[in-house]
Amino acid sequence: MIRLSRLLIGIFVILTQPNALFAQTISMEEAIHSTLANHPSMAVVQAALEAVRTNAQVIKDNRQPNLRLHDQINIGTANGLSGSYFSMGLIVPTSGGRRPENSMELASGNIALATADWEVFNFGRFQAEDRLARTDIMVSEAAVENETYNIRLAVINTYLDALWLKQTLKIEERNLARVDTVRRIITNLVHNGIRPGLDSSLASVEFSRAKLNYFQMQEELQRAIIKLATLTGRPVNLAAIDTTFHQQVLLMQPVDTKLKADHPLLRYRTNLINRQTTEIDLIRKSALPRVSLLTSAWARGTSLDIDNNFGPLGSGFGYSRTNFLVGVAATVNLTDFHRIKSRSQLQQWRIKQAQSQLAVEQFQLQNTLTTSDSVMATVRMALLELPTALNSADRAFQQRLSLYNNGIENILGLTDALQLLTTVEKQVVNVQRRAVNVRLQRAYATGDFEDFFSLFRRQ
C-alpha cells in the first residue's frame, strides 16, 4: 500500500512539474560564474573601471605640448586711434595709422601664426596626478571586486533558498504519500464497518491539507527558481539546482581563519583612504609655480605701405614680414596658497570619513566571524541530535499506525504522530539550514569560500 501510494504521488509530481524532466542542473559555483558573466551591475562597474583607466591616459595626453597653426585673410578698414583697453575677447584689434579723419577705404591683410607652449616643470604636480590616477584605478578595481563579492553572496542566498525549499518540498511529498496511505487504510476499514465514517472524513481533510501544503511549497520553490534563473540569465524552464549536499561535513571543524586585511570589502575601503590621502599631495602641489616653454612664429602681409597709404587689395594677400619669439614663463597664483588650505582641510575630513567607514566594516565583519564561531558548537550539537529525533518520530508514527490498524489507537492519535513526523523532518532541514548559514557567515567574514563550497561539490 505504501509503495503504491508513493508511485502514485511520483506520477502526480511529474504531472505537476513537467519542466523538471528537461531542466539542466546547475551547481552553486556554476550559478555564480553565470551570474557574474550576465549581471548588469558587473557591466556598470567594469565600464567605470575602464573609464578610470582611460582617464589616466587622458591626463598624460594633456601634458603634451600645445601646437597651434592659424592663418587668416582679411579685408576691412584700418583706422587706428591711440589708447589702451581690455579687449575681453569681444573687440576686434585693428592695426593702422592714425589719421585726422575716419576713412572707409578698404585694406587687405594676411597673417599666419604658429605657436607652441609646453609646461615642462611644476614642482611634482605631474607625479602627484599620476599617483592619484593609479589610486583611482585601484579603487575602481576594488569596487569591481566588491560588487563581485556582493553578487556572489546574493546568488548563494538565492541558491540556498531554492535548495531548502526543494528539500521541504520532498518532505511535503513524503507526507502526502503517508497521508494518502493512511487515508486508503482508513477508507478500507470504514467500508468494512470496522471504523466510523468520521475517521474517513478526517483522513480526507488531512489529505487535502497535505496537498495544499505541497502546492504552496511548490509555488515558493518556483519563485526561488525564477529568481535564480533571472540572476544567472538562464531560461526558467531549463534551470534546476544541483541538490548535492554533504551534510556530514557540517559536523567537521572548519579551517581556523581570521579576519584579513585583504578582505575584498576592506580592500575597497583601504584603497579609498589611500586615494583621498594621495589627493592631498596633489592639492598642495597644484598651487606651486608652473614653468612653461613658449615659442611662436608668424608672418604677415598688408596692402598698406610704410606711409600708411592704401594700396591694391591683392598686394595684401602675400607675406611681407616674419617674426619669431622664444621664451620661458613661470606662472603662480598667489591666492591659490590660501585656497589649498581650505581644500586640504576638506580632504582631511574625507579621509577621516573613509577611515571611519573602514573601522565600521572591520567591526561588522569581526562581529559576524565571532558570532558564527560562538554558535557553531551549539549548532553542531543540534545536528548530532537530528538522527535520534527523526528515528523516534518515525517509530512513533509506525507504532501509532499499527495500533490504529489493531483498533487500539484512534484517528486523532494517528494524526498527531503523522504531523509530528513531518514537523521533525522539517526541523531537520531547518537545523541544517542554520548550520549552513553559520558556515556562510564565516565565509563572508573571512572572504574564504572554499570550505563553504565543499559542502555542495560533487565528489
Side-chain angles (χ1 to χ4, degrees), residues 261-272:
D262 63 345
H263 191 286
L265 301 181
L266 299 182
R267 188 183 301 118
Y268 173 77
R269 298 296 180 186
T270 302
N271 289 340
L272 190 60

Side-chain angles (χ1 to χ4, degrees), residues 376-432:
M376 190 171 294
T378 303
V379 174
R380 190 179 294 111
M381 287 189 295
L383 289 170
L384 292 173
E385 187 63 27
L386 290 180
T388 302
L390 188 59
N391 292 333
S392 299
D394 184 63
R395 286 197 303 269
F397 167 69
Q398 298 298 336
Q399 290 171 1
R400 288 289 179 92
L401 180 60
S402 177
L403 292 174
Y404 182 85
N405 289 332
N406 294 322
I408 301 176
E409 183 63 83
N410 58 32
I411 184 65
L412 296 179
L414 179 59
T415 302
D416 289 342
L418 185 61
Q419 293 177 351
L420 177 62
L421 177 56
T422 303
T423 301
V424 172
E425 288 178 336
K426 291 182 179 180
Q427 192 172 14
V428 169
V429 175
N430 184 48
V431 173
Q432 291 175 349

Side-chain angles (χ1 to χ4, degrees), residues 97-116:
R98 292 176 297 161
R99 297 183 178 84
E101 73 285 344
N102 190 62
S103 174
M104 297 307 294
E105 190 171 354
L106 298 178
S108 63
N110 185 14
I111 184 170
L113 177 67
T115 64

Side-chain angles (χ1 to χ4, degrees), residues 212-225:
L212 291 175
N213 290 336
Y214 178 83
F215 292 146
Q216 179 183 355
M217 198 56 56
Q218 190 179 52
E219 176 187 346
E220 293 181 11
L221 175 59
Q222 186 65 17
R223 291 179 183 275
I225 292 296

Side-chain angles (χ1 to χ4, degrees), residues 247-257 367-385 431-446 448 451-452 455:
Q247 56 182 342
Q248 67 276 7
V249 179
L250 294 173
L251 298 174
M252 300 172 58
Q253 183 68 26
V255 179
D256 186 22
T257 56
N367 183 63
T368 300
L369 179 59
T370 303
T371 302
S372 62
D373 287 342
S374 62
V375 302
M376 190 171 294
T378 303
V379 174
R380 190 179 294 111
M381 287 189 295
L383 289 170
L384 292 173
E385 187 63 27
V431 173
Q432 291 175 349
R433 182 172 189 166
R434 284 160 43 201
V436 170
N437 285 342
V438 170
R439 293 295 185 101
L440 179 58
Q441 290 175 1
R442 198 171 190 274
Y444 173 82
T446 60
D448 184 6
D451 184 57
F452 177 79
L455 293 169

Side-chain angles (χ1 to χ4, degrees), residues 7 25 31 44 50 55 83 87 116 140 157 165 169 171 204 210 263 287 319 321 356 407 438:
L7 177 60
T25 302
V44 172
E50 295 302 324
N55 183 63
S87 71
S140 295
N157 285 324
L165 287 171
L169 183 64
I171 293 175
S204 297
H263 191 286
Y319 301 119
R321 294 291 186 272
S356 299
V438 170

Side-chain angles (χ1 to χ4, degrees), residues 74-352:
N74 305 301
I75 298 177
T77 59
N79 295 298
L81 192 64
S82 299
S84 300
Y85 57 86
F86 292 101
S87 71
M88 304 297 292
L90 303 174
I91 301 175
V92 180
T94 298
S95 178
R98 292 176 297 161
R99 297 183 178 84
E101 73 285 344
N102 190 62
S103 174
M104 297 307 294
E105 190 171 354
L106 298 178
S108 63
N110 185 14
I111 184 170
L113 177 67
T115 64
D117 62 272
W118 186 19
E119 188 176 332
V120 294
F121 185 70
N122 49 33
F123 297 92
R125 182 171 60 86
F126 285 162
Q127 290 80 0
E129 288 177 346
D130 289 338
R131 287 193 295 270
L132 182 61
R134 287 194 295 270
T135 55
D136 280 337
I137 292 175
M138 294 175 63
V139 170
S140 295
E141 290 175 342
V144 172
E145 191 176 6
N146 197 359
E147 185 67 17
T148 301
Y149 199 79
N150 291 328
I151 289 177
R152 180 192 293 121
L153 187 64
V155 175
I156 290 174
N157 285 324
T158 304
Y159 195 97
L160 289 177
D161 287 342
L163 177 64
W164 304 130
L165 287 171
K166 193 162 188 177
Q167 289 195 8
T168 305
L169 183 64
K170 290 180 179 179
I171 293 175
E172 295 294 349
E173 181 181 334
R174 291 196 301 268
N175 181 59
L176 187 59
R178 288 193 295 261
V179 172
D180 186 47
T181 300
V182 171
R183 181 179 66 88
R184 291 173 183 276
I185 294 174
I186 293 176
T187 301
N188 185 50
L189 293 176
V190 170
H191 286 168
N192 292 326
I194 301 175
R195 286 291 182 176
L198 177 62
D199 286 10
S200 178
S201 300
L202 293 176
S204 297
V205 171
E206 194 66 27
F207 184 61
S208 296
R209 288 181 65 250
K211 286 195 294 185
L212 291 175
N213 290 336
Y214 178 83
F215 292 146
Q216 179 183 355
M217 198 56 56
Q218 190 179 52
E219 176 187 346
E220 293 181 11
L221 175 59
Q222 186 65 17
R223 291 179 183 275
I225 292 296
I226 292 174
K227 184 177 180 181
L228 184 64
T230 304
L231 287 173
T232 58
R234 290 173 174 245
V236 176
N237 59 341
L238 297 180
I241 62 171
D242 187 350
T243 56
T244 301
F245 175 46
H246 305 291
Q247 56 182 342
Q248 67 276 7
V249 179
L250 294 173
L251 298 174
M252 300 172 58
Q253 183 68 26
V255 179
D256 186 22
T257 56
K258 299 184 181 299
L259 185 62
K260 300 178 182 178
D262 63 345
H263 191 286
L265 301 181
L266 299 182
R267 188 183 301 118
Y268 173 77
R269 298 296 180 186
T270 302
N271 289 340
L272 190 60
I273 293 174
N274 294 336
R275 192 266 176 205
Q276 304 288 36
T277 304
T278 303
E279 188 171 355
I280 285 187
D281 186 42
L282 177 59
I283 291 173
R284 292 170 178 170
K285 291 184 178 179
S286 63
L288 299 178
R290 305 178 182 185
V291 179
S292 302
L293 176 64
L294 308 175
T295 62
S296 180
W298 67 99
R300 187 176 182 186
T302 180
S303 63
L304 296 173
D305 61 17
I306 59 175
D307 295 322
N308 204 33
N309 296 316
F310 292 90
L313 292 178
S315 63
F317 296 150
Y319 301 119
S320 58
R321 294 291 186 272
T322 58
N323 295 281
F324 74 91
L325 187 66
V326 178
V328 176
T331 305
V332 63
N333 188 344
L334 296 180
T335 56
D336 280 347
F337 290 101
H338 174 71
R339 294 190 182 105
I340 64 171
K341 181 178 180 181
S342 299
R343 291 179 60 190
S344 297
Q345 290 177 346
L346 174 62
Q347 197 62 24
Q348 289 289 357
W349 284 113
R350 289 175 176 171
I351 292 174
K352 290 183 178 180

